[in-house]
């Protein structure tokens, strides 16, 4: 078993013994041992900020749903009934699917190798000291081996693996569609209500943000909403890529 590395003294001792007393040394082992303290501190950092990022995502999604039902949808209601019905169905379908797939990706265990018999053993995990099936990798942040690990997503505070990869992919798809819908139709009706201007687009709105007065007051609230609309615009390229 590897020695405990919960102190700087033990970390230095591990590096020293690996460099000078390990007969099976190779260049990869030396590099991994030397970088282990840095990786360990980075992993602890991501564990700390993981739930903060999750709360941030929940806050942004909740606020956008609130804007849709409190401002955008009532504004659409003033147009025609068929137009309202179409947007009502599309908006609810996107909101439900986005929230559902984010929740499932957040709470679903990505999957670990079984503790008993393992078929098709590919290698041994140096961290867990246990056999690994094919396409299984050790996550230093979760400190577990993950089946068919794709990556550790800080926005989910969870690894994306065998059992939750579908939810992650569907969330990315619905989030991209959400953002496209919001910065086009949603933003049009939002500006028509808040700024009484239906000729603004997301680019001109952000450029002239400081010079556009809000007739309904609460300027800080609406300014933050404008930033979130811009984040939706950026997310199309970030998530879609």
């Amino acid at each position: 078993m590897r020695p405990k590395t919960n102190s700087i003294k033990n970390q230095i001792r591990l590096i020293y013994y690996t460099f000078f007393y390990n007969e099976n040394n190779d260049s990869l082992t030396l590099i991994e041992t030397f970088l282990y303290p840095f990786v360990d501190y980075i992993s602890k950092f991501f564990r700390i900020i993981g739930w903060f990022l999750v709360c941030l995502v929940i806050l942004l999604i909740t606020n956008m749903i609130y804007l849709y039902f409190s401002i955008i949808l009532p504004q659409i209601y003033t147009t025609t009934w068929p137009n309202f019905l179409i947007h009502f169905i599309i908006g609810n379908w996107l909101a439900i699917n986005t929230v559902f797939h984010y929740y499932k990706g957040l709470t679903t265990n990505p999957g670990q190798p079984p503790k008993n018999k393992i078929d098709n053993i590919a290698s041994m995990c140096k961290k867990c000291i246990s056999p690994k099936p094919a396409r299984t990798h050790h996550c230093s942040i979760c400190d577990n081996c993950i089946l068919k690990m794709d990556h550790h997503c800080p926005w989910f505070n969870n690894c994306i693996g065998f059992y939750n990869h579908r939810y992650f992919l569907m969330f990315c798809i619905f989030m991209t569609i959400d953002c496209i819908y919001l910065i086009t139709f949603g933003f049009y009706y939002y500006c028509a209500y808040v700024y009484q201007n239906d000729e603004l687009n997301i680019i001109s709105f952000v450029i002239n943000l400081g010079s556009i007065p809000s007739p309904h007051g609460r300027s800080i609230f609406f300014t933050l909403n404008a930033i979130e609309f811009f984040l939706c615009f950026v997310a199309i390229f970030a998530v879609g890529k």
Side-chain angles (χ1 to χ4, degrees):
M1 294 181 62
R2 57 176 180 162
K4 294 182 179 180
T5 55
N6 55 355
S7 69
I8 297 177
K9 181 179 178 181
N10 285 335
Q11 291 169 358
I12 295 174
R13 184 181 300 173
L14 173 63
I15 294 173
Y16 175 78
Y17 283 123
T18 301
F19 268 83
F20 298 104
Y21 291 94
N22 189 351
E23 296 179 354
N24 299 317
N25 260 345
D26 55 27
S27 58
L28 182 60
T29 303
L30 295 177
I31 293 173
E32 288 182 351
T33 305
F34 182 76
L35 293 179
Y36 179 80
F38 304 100
V39 174
D40 190 42
Y41 285 120
I42 293 174
S43 300
K44 291 178 181 178
F45 172 75
F46 276 104
R47 291 191 197 109
I48 294 173
I49 69 169
W51 284 111
F52 170 77
L53 295 177
V54 168
C55 292
L56 179 62
V57 172
I58 294 174
L59 178 64
L60 292 175
I61 293 177
T62 302
N63 183 62
M64 194 54 71
I65 292 176
Y66 167 76
L67 290 179
Y68 182 77
F69 285 101
S70 65
I71 295 179
I72 297 174
L73 203 59
Q75 187 69 16
I76 298 175
Y77 185 75
T78 61
T79 59
T80 61
W81 174 249
N83 186 43
F84 170 78
L85 184 61
I86 292 172
H87 283 282
F88 179 81
I89 294 174
I90 293 176
N92 280 276
W93 178 68
L94 290 174
I96 291 172
N97 277 281
T98 300
V99 173
F100 171 77
H101 287 103
Y102 183 75
Y103 171 77
K104 293 296 291 184
L106 178 69
T107 58
T108 301
N109 191 313
Q112 285 86 37
K115 299 298 182 182
N116 43 20
K117 184 179 179 180
I118 300 179
D119 297 326
N120 301 321
I121 297 176
S123 61
M124 292 290 293
C125 178
K126 298 178 182 179
K127 307 293 178 62
C128 298
I129 318 298
S130 60
K132 295 193 302 183
R135 294 185 60 190
T136 299
H137 302 282
H138 186 91
C139 175
S140 59
I141 300 174
C142 297
D143 199 23
N144 274 317
C145 283
I146 306 298
L147 292 173
K148 293 188 177 180
M149 178 180 175
D150 186 81
H151 68 289
H152 182 93
C153 182
W155 302 104
F156 282 80
N157 194 34
N158 198 6
C159 277
I160 307 303
F162 183 76
Y163 291 110
N164 64 350
H165 192 273
R166 171 183 178 273
Y167 301 120
F168 170 77
L169 179 61
M170 294 303 296
F171 171 76
C172 290
I173 292 174
F174 279 106
M175 179 57 69
T176 304
I177 299 174
D178 263 336
C179 293
I180 294 174
Y181 176 76
L182 287 170
I183 68 169
T184 51
F185 297 103
F187 188 72
Y188 172 83
Y189 290 107
Y190 176 82
C191 286
Y193 171 79
V194 177
Y195 300 98
Q196 299 181 352
N197 186 345
D198 55 7
E199 297 181 356
L200 289 171
N201 58 61
I202 189 66
I203 302 298
S204 62
F205 181 77
V206 172
I207 293 175
N208 301 296
L209 183 60
S211 60
I212 301 177
S214 172
H216 293 278
R218 297 188 296 170
S219 58
I220 296 178
F221 174 72
F222 288 120
T223 300
L224 293 176
N225 291 332
I227 295 174
E228 185 169 0
F229 272 108
F230 181 73
L231 291 177
C232 290
F233 175 72
V234 175
I236 294 175
F237 302 96
V239 178
K241 183 178 179 181

